[in-house]
């Protein structure tokens, strides 16, 4: 499991996703500090985190999900991973499960690290214990969102890789992006996978603000 996730994490796309997430997290954390310094305790930091969360989820998850949708079975075979696994009694079917779980973990990690880190910055900027507690709960909600996004996108990536082989990324785009575009054109964006994740994030942000979704 650790080897599979490490191999996925070393790909160029996965590194790009982590870098984008870290950069955006740092930018929005800086904005939160500046906003808190200029507007005081009334600064709408939850809204800023919500905006940052949407950007982080898109730019951190997209490259990592594409990396996970590559033909990892062929890559592992060429690298001798399958032969190594066979010497330890692992069957090919077990390796598919390992790659699937590794995809979920890597995508969830790419989202969670910058997203929860940003939320914790707002906890540190709280002016009262009750506000800090509310923001801790918000951070936990964002952690749960990262897990949901990781499970969803990791499953789709693993499915696309296994079914599509070397065209796994094309299949992933066909499954995720094309329905999303059509749903947006029809005014039903939440009926797509990205739209559903965005709707879930909006609910969490609204709960963090103590209001209703926009």
């Amino acid at each position: 499991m650790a080897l599979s996730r490490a191999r996925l994490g070393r790909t160029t796309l996965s590194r790009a996703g982590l870098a984008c997430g870290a950069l955006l997290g740092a930018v929005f954390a800086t904005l939160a500090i500046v906003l808190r310094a200029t507007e005081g305790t009334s600064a709408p930091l939850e809204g800023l985190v919500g905006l940052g969360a949407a950007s982080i989820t898109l730019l951190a998850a997209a490259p990592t999900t594409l990396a996970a949708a590559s033909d990892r079975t062929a890559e592992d075979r060429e690298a001798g991973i399958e032969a190594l696994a066979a010497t330890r009694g692992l069957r090919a079917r077990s390796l598919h499960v390992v790659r699937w779980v590794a995809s979920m973990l890597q995508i969830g990690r790419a989202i969670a690290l910058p997203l929860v880190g940003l939320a914790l910055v707002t906890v540190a900027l709280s002016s009262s214990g009750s506000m800090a507690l509310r923001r801790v709960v918000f951070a936990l909600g964002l952690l749960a969102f990262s897990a949901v996004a990781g499970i969803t996108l990791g499953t789709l990536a693993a499915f696309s890789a296994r079914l599509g082989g070397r065209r796994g990324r094309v299949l992933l785009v066909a499954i995720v992006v094309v329905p999303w575009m059509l749903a947006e054109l029809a005014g039903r964006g939440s009926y797509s996978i990205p739209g559903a994740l965005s709707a879930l994030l909006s609910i969490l942000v609204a709960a963090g603000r103590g209001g209703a979704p926009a």
Side-chain angles (χ1 to χ4, degrees), residues 51-65:
L51 178 61
S55 303
I56 288 169
T57 301
L58 176 62
L59 294 182
T64 312
T65 305

Side-chain angles (χ1 to χ4, degrees), residues 155-173:
T155 298
L156 289 171
F159 171 80
S160 299
R162 185 170 182 182
L163 190 63
R166 296 195 180 277
R167 293 184 174 84
R169 292 173 183 171
V170 175
L171 179 59
L172 177 67
V173 170

